[in-house]
Each structure stands twice: as structure tokens, then as C-alpha cells.
Amino acid sequence: MKSRSRILVNATGLAVFAVTVFPVFWMVSTALKPNEEIFSTTPRPLPGDPTFRHFDFVLNGGIANTSFWSYLGNSLILALVTVVASGLLALLAAVALVRFRFKFRTTYLVMLLVVQMVPAEALVIPLFLDLKQLALLDNLAGLALVYIAFSLPFSIWMLRSFVAAVPRELEEAALIDGAGPVRAFFSVLLPLVTPGLIATSIFSFITAWNEFVFAFTFLDDQAKYTLPIMLQYFFGRSGNEWGPIMAASTLLTVPVILFFLLVQRRMVSGLTAGAVKG
Amino acid sequence: MIRTRTRITPYLLILPTLVVIGALLFWPMIQIGMLSAQQVGHRQLRGEPAQWVGTDNYTAVLESDLFWSSFMHTVLFAAVAVTLTMAVGTAVGLLLNQLRGRMSNFVAGGVMIAWATPPITAAIVFSWLFGSTGGLANWVLEALPDALVGGGWRDYNWFGSPFPTYVVLTVCVVWQSFPFVAVSVLAGLKSVPGELFEAAKVDGASAWRTFWRITFPLLRPIFLVLLVLSIIWDFKVFTQLFVMSGLANRDAYNLSLFAYAEAFGSMNAKLGLGSAIATVLTVILLVVTALYVRMMVRRGELA
């Protein structure tokens, strides 16, 4: 009886896995199929005659005559700048929130919660006008600023609980041993909150890497497009070329998924510590 | 000396975030309200000062049928998508809690994949799955007995009218958002002492009863937070609808797409009008956020 219910639970688990992964599987499978198979009247799950033709097309300037690598470069730079800047700024704020009691602390926390909920789709209108005024429209630096701002509230919120988990005594011990506050920060606190910084980094990386609305609205020059914009542009222009479209989608998605799975366990602990402290 | 330094230290530490968040999130939020009372078109974009038009934008918006259909779509979609997200997410969370060791990690990993997928790719992949030529969904529906699903699916266009578009949108959004609920519920379950469930089992309570009598009350705070977050996320869904339906299909607009279309969609940009719609959306979300903040205060998260 016991083992039968275990089999049932495991089978349900596998079914959930299969259904959930299916769209991604279908994306990759389509990307590897020759056109005859993609539009065949009897679709098959796996490519019968796998080909890298579509990937080749996408990677070698098939889209808008600009190399795929330049879009990848734009996306990567934006994501890295966002990760580093928001991680650093969020850590400073998290230390302030955990280690100090100060006036307006609660106000600051409430502000974080509120701005986190404001729809990007609404802010895109004023931000468009602001960046235009600052001559930062159609500019990756302007976009980076917006991404940093958008990933900050959640990063601070999450890092706060990681900093709180570091016993204060450890820092005090370092201070007593004659280390300055800066040294105590770098040699005691920083190593201990590294898991938290990693979990936070994933969130800000994904915020920047996946972002669509701002990049779509602010960027005009094709050379500055990020991957999602390139994908949308390509999809809009050649809506039925599913092979290359799925190949491009795969190239955009796989790095995020790998990144995600690589740090999956840390991620869950990050979530339980931050977003949903039970 | 040391005294004053500690006193200003926290302010120095939060200063950079305060500047960035203030300038790029908080100030624009106030700007939306201001813009919604202005006429901002091509002339203003070229540098002419904006014209104050009072409540004209709101009158125009509230009088348009498009606003009310967008509003209905937003609310109905959020209601259905949130319900499904919570139900599927909770069920999968409970399942993950039953799985052991490697199996649990394996299934959780698969579920994470849906979560990690960029919205733009998700939208495009679902457009392909539900495509009218070569789409898998139509093929499956055509292959199923007609008595069950009816006939004529072969070339069915899912994106030709609002209802089927929203069906696909719902499937796509729920697929992407249930993992967060599942993982959070799992995390919550791990923190519940196992004895409580053992006791229920000894008493012969059914799984359904155990859930409503024990699990749900214990995880209530988590469920509330997840519910509020899901409502907020599903209310403002944009990218997926933009990709599947586009700005040309006015019938299928929701509020965020409508706001965007008015502001940037046509040659005749109306950023003031767009802001008025965006303000309506923002105010609704701020009300939900207020509930969220109150819950967080009660749970002592701001301490």
C-alpha cells in the first residue's frame, strides 16, 4: 500500500515535470527541425533529421543584418552592470537597515514595498520623457539606470534578511581585535552574505536580461537592441519562420535557465529567507 | 567624533539607493499623475511647454468604450489567472513536499524552468504552440474525437478575437507564475512541524480535510502575500499580450496595453492621455499594495 502510493506520487511528479517543461522542449525541438518537419501535418516530438540551419541563420546575421553577438553583447553588458551596481547599493542599504536604528527607517521600508508594486508599464511614459530630457534615450546607460532602479527594492528586501542572519558579535569581535569598520565589513560581513548576494544577483540579472517594455520603447538604433527586442523585431517581421524564431528564442532562454538551475538551491533558500519569511 | 559618525552612517548607506529609487521610480510615479492632467503630444516632445488640461484626459478616457472593455479584460483576466495560479501552485507545492530527495529536486528544477523563461520567449513559444499553421494545439484538438471538442480546429485562429487570445494568455501566464507559488508553498510547508500532519493522519482525516484544517490556516500568511503579489502581477501583464495580440487589435486591449497604445502606439502620440489610463491602473495597484503593506506590518516584517 505504502509503496503503491509512493509510485503514484512519483508518477504525478513526473507528469508535472513533463507538462511544465513541454513548451521549452517544443521550442528547442522546433529550432532543430528542418522546415518540412516544422510544418508537417503530423508533428513529431523529436526532430527526425536534426539540423543547425536555423541557429546558423540566426547567429550569422540572418536578423536585420546585424550580428547576433552584438545583441548578446548589449544584453550581457546591461545585465552585468545591473547585477554589480544593484548588488553593491542594496548591500549598503541592507546593512543600514539591519545594523542601525534611524529616523524614517520604517518610511524607507514602506517606500520600498510601494515602489516595487508600481507597474513598469505605467512608469514607461514619464521615464521616456525624463530620459529624453537628459539625452539618455536610445542609450544603454539610460536603460541600465532604469534596470538598477527596478531591481533595487527587491534586492534590498532580500539582502536585509541575509545580513540579519549574520551574528552581530562576529563584527564586534573583529572591531575589538582592532579591525576598522571597513575591514570588518570586507573580511567578516561580506564573505558571510555572499550566498545572499548570489541569490540577489540572479534576480537582478533576470530583471535586466528579460526586460522588454523599456528597451522596446527607449531604443531606436538597431545596433543598441537587446536580445528580447531583437527577438520581437524578428518575430514581428517574419511571423511564420518558426524555425529561426525558435532558434533565436532558445538562444535567449537557455543562458537564463542554466543560470537559474545552477544556483537553484541557493535561490530557494534566498526566497524563503527574503520574499516569504514564514 | 565617533558619535556623529555613527549617527549619519545609516543615512550615508541608504543615500545612493534613495537617490536612484527616488529619481527613477518615485518621482516618475508622481509625474504620471501630473502628466495625466496635461496635453503632451508631438509639439511637447519637440520642446514646447505642456498644456494643462485639467480633467479632460480622464473625461475622454472614461467616456471611451475602449477603456471599459480594457478594464473588463484586465479584471476578468486577473481573476481567472490568479485563481488558477494559486490553485496549481499550491497543488504542485504540496506535491513537491511529498516527493523525496532527488525526485523532489528534479521536479522542482523542471518547474523552475517555466519560471526562468523570459516573458518574451514564453509569449512567442505559446504563439507557436497555438499557431494556426503547424500549431500543435490545433493538431491535438483536431485529432481528438469531435464529440469531445467539436470539429474544425485545423486552421483555427486563436488570436483573431479577444476571448481565445485571453485563453492562450491565461495558459501562458499561469505556466510562468505557478512555480513561484509552488516553491513558496513548499518553503512554508518545510517550516511546519511534521507532528501536526502525523496527528491528522492518525485521526484518519482525508488529505482534503487535512489541507483546509491544518495546512491552510498555518500557511495563511504566506498565501495572503502570494495572493496579493499574484494580483499585482496579473493586473499589469503587458509583454505577453503585446506579443500575442499586438497594438493593432484594439478589441483585445487590457489597461496597460491601452495606456501604452495611447502614449506611443500611433503617429499621434498622446502621452497625457496614456498617463491618465496608467494612473487608473496605478491607483488600483496602490490600493492592493496598501493591503500588502498592512499585512507586512502585521507580520512584523518592517521591524
Side-chain angles (χ1 to χ4, degrees), chain A residues 33 70 86 182 209 253:
Chain A
K33 282 177 185 172
S70 95
S86 69
V182 176
W209 182 266
T253 310

Side-chain angles (χ1 to χ4, degrees), chain A residues 6 8-14 16-17 19-24 26-27 30 38-43 89-90 92-97 100-106 108-132 142 145-146 148-150 152-153 156-157 160 181 203 206 209-210 212-213 216-218 228-229 231-232 235 240 242 245-246 248-250 252-253 256-257 260-261 264-265 267-268 271-272 274-278, chain B residues 5-7 9-14 16-18 20-29 31-32 35 40 44-46 92 95 98-100 103-121 123-129 131 133-136 139 154 175 178-180 183-184 186-188 191 222 225-226 229 232-233 236-239 242-244 256 259-260 263-264 271-272 274-275 278-279 281-282 285-286 289 292-293 296-297 299-303:
Chain A
R6 184 110 307 266
L8 193 70
V9 169
N10 282 339
T12 320
L14 288 178
V16 167
F17 178 90
V19 171
T20 311
V21 171
F22 185 77
V24 173
W26 195 246
M27 167 182 80
T30 306
I38 292 176
F39 295 106
S40 147
T41 43
T42 46
L89 298 186
L92 296 180
V95 170
L97 288 169
F100 297 90
R101 295 278 160 253
F102 54 95
K103 237 180 162 180
F104 304 121
R105 186 174 167 277
T106 314
Y108 179 77
L109 281 169
V110 169
M111 184 199 72
L112 289 184
L113 284 181
V114 172
V115 292
Q116 206 182 322
M117 300 307 163
V118 178
E121 295 70 22
L123 289 190
V124 70
I125 301 171
L127 281 172
F128 175 84
L129 295 169
D130 294 343
L131 290 182
K132 189 174 154 59
L145 278 175
V146 175
I148 293 166
F150 265 87
L152 270 180
I156 300 171
W157 201 258
R160 191 169 74 111
F203 274 98
I206 289 174
W209 182 266
N210 288 2
F212 177 74
V213 190
F216 181 77
T217 313
F218 297 166
I229 309 312
L231 190 55
Q232 155 66 20
F235 178 62
N240 260 336
W242 291 111
I245 291 172
M246 288 299 121
S249 303
T250 305
L252 170 68
T253 310
V256 199
I257 291 181
F260 226 73
L261 293 182
Q264 182 198 335
R265 239 172 264 162
M267 177 95 161
V268 176
L271 272 173
T272 53
V276 280
K277 203 163 69 182
Chain B
R5 203 168 65 187
T6 25
R7 216 182 297 152
T9 310
Y11 297 104
L12 287 178
L13 290 173
I14 63 165
T17 51
L18 213 53
V20 175
I21 293 174
L24 290 148
L25 297 179
F26 207 77
W27 168 237
M29 198 167 96
Q31 278 183 299
I32 307 175
L35 286 167
V40 189
Q44 283 72 29
L45 287 177
R46 278 200 304 269
V92 173
L95 176 73
Q98 293 292 315
L99 294 170
R100 301 271 171 271
M103 191 65 183
S104 174
N105 284 337
F106 179 69
V107 178
V111 166
M112 292 271 194
I113 286 178
W115 187 14
T117 305
I120 181 93
T121 341
I124 290 178
V125 171
F126 276 81
S127 300
W128 165 224
L129 282 168
T133 31
L136 191 66
W139 181 81
R154 183 182 295 275
W175 176 70
F178 88 83
F180 177 68
V183 172
S184 307
L186 175 66
S191 67
I222 292 184
V225 171
L226 290 172
L229 289 175
I232 290 171
W233 289 333
K236 59 186 186 186
V237 97
F238 177 86
T239 306
F242 179 86
V243 169
M244 287 180 187
S256 47
Y260 193 89
F264 302 108
L271 287 97
S275 296
T279 306
L281 179 66
T282 309
L285 292 182
L286 282 180
T289 307
Y292 178 64
V293 172
M296 296 304 251
V297 171
R299 288 174 59 191
E301 293 268 5
L302 303 187

Side-chain angles (χ1 to χ4, degrees), chain A residues 187-201:
Chain A
S187 49
V188 178
L189 189 65
L190 197 60
L192 287 169
V193 294
T194 304
L197 273 174
I198 291 173
T200 316
S201 302

Side-chain angles (χ1 to χ4, degrees), chain A residues 37-74:
Chain A
E37 285 185 45
I38 292 176
F39 295 106
S40 147
T41 43
T42 46
R44 283 195 304 179
L46 285 168
D49 181 20
T51 167
F52 282 102
R53 197 183 309 156
H54 304 307
F55 283 99
D56 194 48
F57 176 79
V58 170
L59 287 173
N60 294 312
I63 299 168
N65 303 319
T66 310
S67 159
F68 175 86
W69 304 106
S70 95
Y71 302 121
L72 181 76
N74 292 342

Side-chain angles (χ1 to χ4, degrees), chain B residues 90-269:
Chain B
T90 306
V92 173
L94 291 168
L95 176 73
L96 287 174
N97 195 41
Q98 293 292 315
L99 294 170
R100 301 271 171 271
R102 268 194 203 165
M103 191 65 183
S104 174
N105 284 337
F106 179 69
V107 178
V111 166
M112 292 271 194
I113 286 178
W115 187 14
T117 305
I120 181 93
T121 341
I124 290 178
V125 171
F126 276 81
S127 300
W128 165 224
L129 282 168
F130 288 86
S132 50
T133 31
L136 191 66
N138 282 355
W139 181 81
V140 171
L141 286 166
E142 185 70 34
L144 287 172
D146 283 4
L148 220 59
V149 292
W153 287 104
R154 183 182 295 275
D155 295 314
Y156 185 71
N157 180 5
W158 288 86
F159 305 105
S161 59
F163 184 73
T165 305
Y166 273 89
V167 170
V168 182
L169 181 72
T170 308
V171 177
C172 178
V173 168
V174 171
W175 176 70
Q176 285 214 277
S177 38
F178 88 83
F180 177 68
V181 176
V183 172
S184 307
V185 167
L186 175 66
L189 286 169
K190 297 262 194 228
S191 67
V192 174
E195 297 89 56
L196 283 167
F197 296 110
E198 295 295 328
K201 212 180 247 173
V202 170
D203 289 350
S206 68
W208 183 253
R209 220 179 129 83
T210 312
F211 175 79
W212 288 110
R213 286 295 173 83
I214 299 177
T215 319
F216 184 74
L218 280 172
L219 298 188
R220 204 186 167 86
I222 292 184
F223 279 119
L224 277 174
V225 171
L226 290 172
L227 183 69
V228 171
L229 289 175
S230 301
I231 292 174
I232 290 171
W233 289 333
D234 289 349
F235 236 91
K236 59 186 186 186
V237 97
F238 177 86
T239 306
Q240 293 92 330
L241 187 61
F242 179 86
V243 169
M244 287 180 187
S245 174
L247 293 182
N249 281 333
R250 297 166 75 85
D251 293 346
Y253 280 177
N254 66 0
L255 283 180
S256 47
L257 212 59
F258 184 32
Y260 193 89
E262 288 298 333
F264 302 108
S266 62
M267 296 313 268
N268 181 20

